[in-house]
Structure formats: C-alpha cells, structure tokens
Amino acid sequence: MKKLVTLLLLPFCSVALAQQLGNLTVEKIMRDPKWIGISPSAIHWSDDSKKIYFNWATSRGELYDITTTNLKPVKVGVDEQKSLSTDGTWNRAHTLKLYEKDGDIFLVDIKTGKTQQLTNTTDNERNPQFSGDESKVTFLRGDNLFSLKLNGGELVQLTNFVHSAAKPKSKGGKKVDDGTANDQEKWLKSQQLELFDIIKVDEQNRKLDSADKAALEPKGLKEIAVDERSISGVTLSPDGRYITYRLAKRPADVKRTIVPDYVTASGYTEDIPNRTKVGAPQTTYESFIFDTQRDSVYQINTSAIPGIKDIPAYFKDYPKELEQRTKLNEDRKVTIQDVYWSGDGKKAVVEITAEDNKDRWLMKLDAQTGSLALLYREHNDAWVGGPGQGNMGWVDNARFYFESEESGYAHIYVADVSNGATKQLTSGKWEVQKLQLSNDKKTFYFAANKDYPGVTDFYSIPVTGSEPVKLTTLKGGNEVSLSPDEKWLAIRYSYSNKPWELYIQANKPGAVPTRVTYSTTDEFNSYSWRDPQVITFKNRYGSDVYARLYLPQHPDPAKPAVVFVHGAGYLQNADYKWSYYFREFMFNNLLADNGYTILDMDYSGSAGYGADWRTAIYRHMGGKDLTDQVDGVKMLIDKYGVNPKHVGLYGGSYGGFITLMAMFTEPDVFTSGGAIRSVTDWAHYNHGYTDEILNEPYTDEKAYRQSSPIYFADGLKGNLLMLHGMIDQNVNYQDIIRLTQKLIELHKDNWELASYPIEDHAFEQASSWIDEYKRIFKLFEQTLKK
C-alpha cells in the first residue's frame, strides 16, 4: 500500500428499495438504516397503566400507543401528545404524580385523570417533590427552593442563595458601619465620639432607631453567600427542618481543545469549542446544611471518612512521589453525590465518591452537626464502578438498599442503618444491571444476566431475600418497563439477528409475552442473517473469553479471518441481542459470504462479566484486552483452520485503538487493520473516562506510555488503514493527525488515512458509512486473500 492522506466523500446514490436484498454489498447494508425498518423506542406507560406509548415506524419517531386490551398500534394525535405527562415523582399511595413540563409544575390525580397546573410563570421551575407530610410541593426556581401548599396555594421561598457579596448599606446617603472598617477608620471614629457631644447624641439616637426598627421588621430569609460557585443537589428533609446542597467551584482558565469545522454554511472555517484533556484541573465540590430552625449554615465534615488519607496503591511504582504524599498526609478530594432521607426524616444517608475513583462510601449523616459515620465502604485498587451505581434508596425507615461489586459481581445489598449490619440479597457469577423497588416496598425488580452472560432477563425478589423469580422467557435482550400499577411488563426484545420489537406480558412468572410490533422490512427479512455462535475459549491466563463466531458457508481458499473489536471498552457485544453495532453485524455477514471467518469477542475490560474482568485493563490498555485478540486468533487457527498469514482486524473508537495496538505490537499476528476514529494517545483523551483506568498522566506516566499506540508506531509492518471524522468531538481529529506525523517521521509506507470532513465521532451520512466500509472491505480483499 502506498502512503496516502485521503480526503474523499462519495456522493450518496439512492438505491430503490427492492423486496429482495440479494447478494450483500457495502452499498446495500450501509444505506440509511431506515431500509431495515424502524424499531420501537422510548417505551413508556401512561400514568393510569392503561396505555403503552412508543416511538415507531418512521425515522422521525412518530408516537404510537396500544392499550392492554387492544394491541393494535395507533398513531397518537397532537392534542393527546400535548396532554401527556413526563417522568415525575409519585406520592406514597401512588395516587398522585408530580412532574415538570416546559418549565412548569403539574399535578395529576390518577383516580380522576385530571391534571392541575401548579405554576405558570416565565421562570423555569423543576424537580418537583412532595413534602414529608405530602401537604406541599417543593420545587426549584432558578437556584432556590420553594414550597407550595396543595390546598390553599401559599408559596414560600425556602432558600436565598446569593452569588455575590451584599452591597454596603447606607442611610440618608451616609455609609452605615458594616463591620468592615480598618484599624485606622475605627480609631478615628472612636476619637470623634470622645471629643464631640453632638456625635455622641447622634450615635445614641441611631442605636435606638435601629433597635426600634429591628423590633418592627419581620424576620427576613437568611442570605446564603455562595460566591460564584454553582449550586446543585438542593434537598429538603421530610420534616422540613434541614436543607442540604452542594457547591461546585470550577477551575479558572482551563485550556480546552478546539475542533475546526471546515465545511460550513458561512464558507469560513469555524472553531467548535470542545473539552479538556485528561489531567486538567477538575471541578471541586463542598456540601452544606442549612438548619432552618437554628437559621445556621454549616459544612458537612468529610475529615472522618475512613481511608480519607489513603494513597492509591499505584504510587508504589513512584517512590519519591509516594514519600512526598506520605509526608503531606492530605485528605483525598471527595464528592458528596446525593443525600437520601428516610421517610420519617429521622435518618439520612449520603453517597460519597473519591476523586481518584478508588473508593465509594455510604455514610450516615448527623444533620444537626454535619458529621458522618460509616455505613458501608466499597474499595477497588483499580477503580470503583460497574452496573448499578446510583441504584439505592430506603426500603423503610430503618433499612437502606444499594448495589455493590464487593463479591466480584454487582449485587443487591440491604443495610440496617441503626446497627450497620449488611445483608447481600443476590449472589453468583452474574450481574444485577438495573434495580427498582416496588410501590409497596416489599419487592425488588431487577434486570440481570443470571442464566447466561449474554442473556438479559427481568426478575423479582422479596426485600427480605430469597431465590430470584424470573419473569421473562424470551432468550436474548429484554428491556422491561414495569407499568405504574405493576401488573404489566412492556418488553423491548431483540435477538442476535432480529432487531428490537415491542412485547407485552402480565407481571407473572410463566406468563406468555405477546408480540405487538413487526418493524423489519420485507427487504431485510429476505436475507438469511446469520445467528452467530456464541462460543468461549481460554485466554493465556486461563479465563473464559466469550465471543461471537461467524462461519462462512463456503470458505475462501486463502482461509482468511477477520477480528471485529467492539468499541467503548466497557460494553458487551458477544450476547444474544441485536447489537449496537448492527452495521458491523451486517458487514460481518458480508465478510462471511465472501469466505471469511469472523470473531467478535468480549475481551478483557468488557461489560457483563464482573469486577475483575472490568478492571483487567487497569493501567495497561492494550495489554490483556489485546492479548485476548491474539489468543482468539490462535484458537481460530487451531480449531477452524484459518491461515495465520491471512488475519485482519477492524474496529471503531476503542476498537480502533486496539486495532492500532495490534498492528504496532503484534505485527506477526495481524496482516491488515482498519482503525476507525481511534484513540492514538490516551493523554489527549477526556478526563472522566481515562483517569479511571490510567489515573493521570503526570502521576502515572508509566500507564500512559504502555497504553498509547503512538509510542509503538515503529512496529508497523502490515497494512494499516485509518479512518476518522474531522469534526470528532469525542476522539479529536488531532489524535489521528499526530499519529500521521509520527508515521511520516518513521518513514512508514504501508498506511493510509481517509478523512471525513463533516463527520463527528458517530457518523451520520450514509455516504460516509459506504465510503468507509468500501475501503475496509477492499483492504481485506487485497491483502488477506493473496
């Protein structure tokens, strides 16, 4: 391959949709996805549990509904759409619901079906909640919290946050002493009082006037000075006494990347302001309590958090820095995420996370003092994470539920807040992915891959614990929306080779789901899409790696193979549901039709397999996640007779990163690679994703050096095709340009770059998708079948 920097977009030629798809081509499968059919999405219930609403049928996502007694989809009219409620908050009896719509607050009565608009202002009201006794509604207007009586409508402002210091007060044009005078001014004032009787009289009268005025004036709402910090997490305790809130201080003058946009309506290059890079100064947070009874404000004290001074384990690789940090003995930076009050308002639990990502604490909050006591601590030397983070709340006034990976897999726990005793409700080598508490607080409903890592089902379990009861029966992906009255399940279901459809089922074990929608087109159905085998193989560390395997019906004589590497890193693709990477699923079918064997694995770092698998890439991306690819190729050679000289790979984003690392560090395994929107240097990616896995560049340079393809570019021997959107605001185009310059300086010849001027990270134009995959297919055809 010749060295070539290419900027080319092929014009999209529309193809008349035929009833028969015929032989697969890139042009056919990479068209606007509407040729497949539009699956139902955004599935949600009416408040009275009688209807299911969903977007369907057209690329515009028009709204349809069905009822539990009539399953024929009906298009929803404009007037009904306007009247629909949004997600909101229910009262304890589940008879009233509060919600915000277009910046105003509404209350719906489920029994009567009537909706009452509680606010109608030009201000933006949001986050409505019932008060502890449910006689009032609280909501935010601007930064401040307000309370509105449901019967009578009295509106009361509960907080008065002030973003700048109060201006000096004056009286009759004269400045009133506000306590800010310096020593010289204080001395002069004292001298004047000593020398002149008239000033003494004036001062006595002023004090008397001030005392009389203070006695007559109503008590004002306390001003809470917050400087220029932003306010969030404003929460009122159920008894109405305490208001908790969080202040965020953003660092000043933080440098951000700029993404140039070359193809613009103005004809000029326009800059798109973008993100910071990993390691940039981060926003810091402090949390406070406003005791309305004592009219006092005080900070929640985090100094007593267990492990607050712990130093991350990776510093053992940096002895000097470890010694310095040990001497400093500083508290780690933490964020109080949310405050959860018990229904009776007598107890509160806060979730706290460490900025270095190594710890998460659940702490009991003493609201009267602002002090904290440990309820539960989750620690991971890599980083705390996994599914279910944020799934927590009160079972009753004594017990608090949450999810944790303490056992190695995400499971449900319930803690007795009075004595700290914690009970694990679910267990096993599977993950609880989503969790909700029933209306009567006697049952947990959750989604999990209990039966098989690649199958998601919906379960119930008593809050006291027992064997989970499976409620869904369809093998594949089951995304369940429980009706408000908890009698029905709306199921968005898919299978490996069948896109998402809507089903409805009674909320009973063994109930039969009924299919509602038929979304795929005749053209899509005319092709026999492969149901890829889900297999396992052992990697070099003895762990099972799950993978999708596509076998050709007529293998090419050259016996080529291609490895597809899914993106995101933490994502599951070797499962039985319709893939997020549906285009790549179809492309893999095309490759198999042309004689290739294709492997698509959930490598180390993928989702669905527990904490150890999730964190296996800690401090070394391109380590175990790459050797899994190499071990997979060895399995293909040994078991399926693949030619070891005819193996390629491709992938986007994280998959593009792995493709680069494979081409640079395993050149004898992979002959060719298509690297799409690839990270080339992790020190130039964003903070929130990268610092969890690699820490920060200036504290853990070793991790970044061994994880970034740009440091290994000299190892390129095979045929590399790079493809990147030029307005990519996730993995910036600068990333691939820096690698391009490195390859030029290394005098490498066997690479190409295809650039797409109007594409962000996720391509949108069919013409770009077609061009991209025509190039990748051509690469494999020309280099893997020699």
Side-chain angles (χ1 to χ4, degrees), residues 186-201 203:
K186 291 177 182 177
W187 185 88
L188 288 173
K189 181 177 180 180
S190 176
Q191 184 195 42
Q192 294 296 89
L193 285 171
E194 177 187 349
L195 292 174
F196 302 106
D197 291 340
I198 186 62
I199 293 178
K200 292 178 183 178
V201 172
E203 178 67 12

Side-chain angles (χ1 to χ4, degrees), residues 284-285 301-315 325 328-336 352-361 377-384 695:
T284 56
Y285 299 90
N301 185 1
T302 59
S303 62
I305 295 175
I308 192 67
K309 295 182 183 294
D310 287 359
I311 300 172
Y314 73 87
F315 275 100
R325 287 181 173 246
L328 288 172
N329 195 33
E330 291 180 333
D331 287 359
R332 297 150 71 193
K333 293 180 180 178
V334 298
T335 301
I336 297 177
I352 304 176
T353 56
E355 187 180 274
D356 61 25
N357 308 302
K358 314 302 181 191
D359 280 284
R360 177 177 73 126
W361 299 268
R377 178 183 181 182
E378 183 177 8
H379 174 82
N380 194 311
D381 278 347
W383 75 97
V384 173
N695 303 307

Side-chain angles (χ1 to χ4, degrees), residues 176-182 186:
V176 176
D177 182 11
D178 58 1
T180 61
N182 59 35
K186 291 177 182 177

Side-chain angles (χ1 to χ4, degrees), residues 452 454-457 473-478 493-496 576-577:
Y452 193 80
V455 175
T456 304
D457 281 301
T473 58
L474 297 171
K475 179 182 178 181
N478 292 277
Y493 167 78
S494 72
Y495 187 69
S496 305
Y576 286 98
K577 70 174 183 289

Side-chain angles (χ1 to χ4, degrees), residues 73-366:
V74 176
K75 190 174 178 180
V76 179
V78 174
D79 290 340
E80 184 177 354
Q81 290 189 48
K82 289 181 178 179
S83 69
L84 294 179
S85 71
T86 60
D87 289 340
T89 302
W90 295 82
N91 66 346
R92 284 187 288 271
H94 233 68
T95 56
L96 299 174
K97 177 185 170 184
L98 284 169
Y99 66 94
E100 175 270 328
K101 191 172 185 179
D102 300 325
D104 287 309
I105 308 300
F106 296 81
L107 176 71
V108 57
D109 187 315
I110 306 304
K111 291 182 179 179
T112 65
K114 292 182 178 180
T115 299
Q116 179 184 359
Q117 184 168 353
L118 300 181
T119 67
N120 187 5
T121 71
T122 57
D123 291 324
N124 182 36
E125 287 101 14
R126 65 192 189 279
N127 194 29
Q129 303 287 330
F130 287 100
S131 62
D133 62 6
E134 299 187 341
S135 66
K136 306 180 189 71
V137 173
T138 64
F139 60 88
L140 290 171
R141 175 183 291 167
D143 287 330
N144 285 302
L145 188 67
F146 289 78
S147 171
L148 179 68
K149 280 187 177 180
L150 286 176
N151 295 321
E154 180 187 5
L155 180 67
V156 177
Q157 185 172 343
L158 301 178
T159 62
N160 185 20
F161 293 114
V162 179
H163 278 283
S164 58
K167 295 181 180 179
K169 298 178 181 179
S170 61
K171 181 178 180 180
K174 297 180 180 180
K175 180 179 177 182
V176 176
D177 182 11
D178 58 1
T180 61
N182 59 35
D183 290 342
Q184 170 68 0
E185 291 171 339
K186 291 177 182 177
W187 185 88
L188 288 173
K189 181 177 180 180
S190 176
Q191 184 195 42
Q192 294 296 89
L193 285 171
E194 177 187 349
L195 292 174
F196 302 106
D197 291 340
I198 186 62
I199 293 178
K200 292 178 183 178
V201 172
D202 285 347
E203 178 67 12
Q204 290 173 350
N205 290 336
R206 186 189 68 78
K207 288 182 178 180
L208 290 171
D209 289 344
S210 178
D212 291 342
K213 184 177 180 181
L216 294 171
E217 282 185 349
K219 183 180 179 182
L221 185 60
K222 182 181 183 67
E223 288 188 354
I224 302 175
V226 297
D227 305 319
E228 298 306 316
R229 292 172 290 181
S230 59
I231 306 163
S232 62
V234 182
T235 305
L236 179 69
S237 62
D239 61 7
R241 175 174 175 176
Y242 299 105
I243 297 171
T244 56
Y245 60 95
R246 180 172 57 245
L247 298 182
K249 184 177 182 180
R250 292 178 174 81
D253 302 323
V254 177
K255 192 153 188 165
R256 294 179 175 272
T257 61
I258 294 173
V259 177
D261 186 0
Y262 294 95
V263 183
T264 64
S266 68
Y268 290 89
T269 300
E270 298 175 3
D271 290 336
I272 304 172
N274 197 223
R275 55 168 172 79
T276 63
K277 296 188 178 185
V278 60
Q282 297 299 299
T283 300
T284 56
Y285 299 90
E286 294 177 321
S287 292
F288 296 83
I289 300 171
F290 173 29
D291 184 342
T292 61
Q293 183 173 305
R294 294 184 294 171
D295 202 30
S296 60
V297 173
Y298 41 97
Q299 188 173 348
I300 298 177
N301 185 1
T302 59
S303 62
I305 295 175
I308 192 67
K309 295 182 183 294
D310 287 359
I311 300 172
Y314 73 87
F315 275 100
K316 69 179 184 298
D317 287 351
Y318 306 96
K320 288 185 179 179
E321 289 78 2
L322 177 60
E323 183 180 0
Q324 291 173 355
R325 287 181 173 246
T326 302
K327 287 180 179 178
L328 288 172
N329 195 33
E330 291 180 333
D331 287 359
R332 297 150 71 193
K333 293 180 180 178
V334 298
T335 301
I336 297 177
Q337 299 291 348
D338 290 293
V339 180
Y340 299 86
W341 288 94
S342 60
D344 59 8
K346 295 180 179 179
K347 300 181 184 70
V349 172
V350 297
E351 181 189 21
I352 304 176
T353 56
E355 187 180 274
D356 61 25
N357 308 302
K358 314 302 181 191
D359 280 284
R360 177 177 73 126
W361 299 268
L362 299 178
M363 305 288 290
K364 295 180 286 186
L365 172 64
D366 183 340

